[in-house]
Amino acid sequence: EAGVTQFPSHSVIEKGQTVTLRCDPISGHDNLYWYRRVMGKEIKFLLHFVKESKQDESGMPNNRFLAERTGGTYSTLKVQPAELEDSGVYFCASSQVYGANYGYTFGSGTRLTVV
Amino acid sequence: KQEVTQIPAALSVPEGENLVLNCSFTDSAIYNLQWFRQDPGKGLTSLLLIQSSQREQTSGRLNASLDKSSGRSTLYIAASQPGDSATYLCAANPYSSASKIIFGSGTRLSIRP
């Protein structure tokens, strides 16, 4: 079974530019999550999709961040325009069921550096 | 609001020692607690998942315990090896917000050969 795949693995962009991160969940996992870790902080929740619907987007920091999951398969997270404080590692995870006892499978993350 | 704390932030021990990593959480109303490992520049690898009804889980040299009443979980590593060096994170999945898991800040473990 393929795991959760994220790309790119690294991205360096200038302040004000746009970056799009992609996540491919484990096949058959309806639940897809985005998390991020900024320098020196804990890993924090951004949002949760159930299939193509946003179940919870309470962790999205501001309207510069846009997440989509067209067709309920892969997801993209766009940052536009990027700011310096957006630098960090963005993780994607998927699960079969949420709020239950199945746990999460995480991808390797995308390290975003905004200069 | 659920908060997860891990102490110590860093730990260095000689190879072969048994060790315990600690995790505490403020709200006992959780579905599960999960321990992860993160190697530098890599993603999160799930080590053990303890369901709310369980007291412990074991995988090889790893044993994780859960005491919801005291809001504590421990990860026991037996006969540590240099390859165990990594950051270990615990994360709680609260009833109050089933969509998300709440991470601790991690313990950076270094095993000295």
Side-chain angles (χ1 to χ4, degrees):
Chain A
E1 168 182 87
V4 176
T5 306
Q6 293 186 248
F7 46 91
S9 56
H10 294 85
S11 181
V12 180
I13 62 171
E14 293 184 352
K15 176 182 172 180
Q17 289 187 323
T18 297
V19 63
T20 300
L21 315 180
R22 173 168 167 151
C23 170
D24 287 63
I26 291 174
S27 178
H29 282 193
D30 288 340
N31 295 277
L32 185 150
Y33 313 82
W34 285 97
Y35 286 75
R36 76 171 180 175
R37 186 172 199 168
V38 296
M39 184 66 70
K41 301 286 184 63
E42 295 88 356
I43 299 172
K44 293 277 181 72
F45 168 84
L46 294 178
L47 87 160
H48 169 210
F49 283 100
V50 178
K51 297 185 180 179
E52 67 275 10
S53 299
K54 292 176 184 175
Q55 179 74 21
D56 182 349
E57 53 185 328
S58 61
M60 295 288 265
N62 52 61
N63 59 10
R64 295 186 294 104
F65 289 75
L66 175 64
E68 296 181 319
R69 193 182 182 195
T70 306
T73 55
Y74 71 91
S75 174
T76 58
L77 179 66
K78 179 190 291 187
V79 185
Q80 179 182 30
E83 298 289 344
L84 298 178
E85 64 264 25
D86 300 331
S87 296
V89 182
Y90 290 76
F91 293 102
C92 176
S94 70
S95 68
Q96 289 179 299
V97 181
Y98 77 92
N101 298 313
Y102 292 90
Y104 289 50
T105 301
F106 278 81
S108 300
T110 293
R111 182 172 297 278
L112 174 65
T113 303
V114 183
V115 298
Chain B
K1 178 186 173 186
Q2 179 72 271
E3 293 183 3
V4 179
T5 304
Q6 292 185 252
I7 296 173
L11 180 65
S12 178
V13 301
E15 181 178 3
E17 279 201 5
N18 303 325
L19 60 98
V20 175
L21 305 181
N22 297 296
C23 172
S24 61
F25 46 95
T26 54
D27 185 351
S28 63
I30 59 173
Y31 286 106
N32 57 61
L33 188 135
Q34 198 164 359
W35 282 91
F36 296 89
R37 167 183 174 143
Q38 184 178 21
D39 293 281
K42 300 291 180 61
L44 301 174
T45 301
S46 179
L47 297 174
L48 289 164
L49 171 72
I50 311 176
Q51 300 175 12
S52 60
S53 59
Q54 297 177 318
R55 293 299 298 261
E56 65 178 338
Q57 281 286 331
T58 298
S59 176
R61 294 183 294 107
L62 305 180
N63 176 277
S65 68
L66 176 64
D67 183 345
K68 287 204 310 178
S69 61
S70 66
R72 294 179 186 274
S73 176
T74 62
L75 179 66
Y76 174 83
I77 302 177
S80 59
Q81 303 170 357
D84 295 329
S85 298
T87 296
Y88 291 80
L89 298 141
C90 68
N93 188 192
Y95 288 161
S96 59
S97 53
S99 288
K100 66 186 73 167
I101 56 175
I102 310 299
F103 281 88
S105 54
T107 294
R108 189 171 66 254
L109 177 64
S110 175
I111 307 298
R112 306 189 300 270

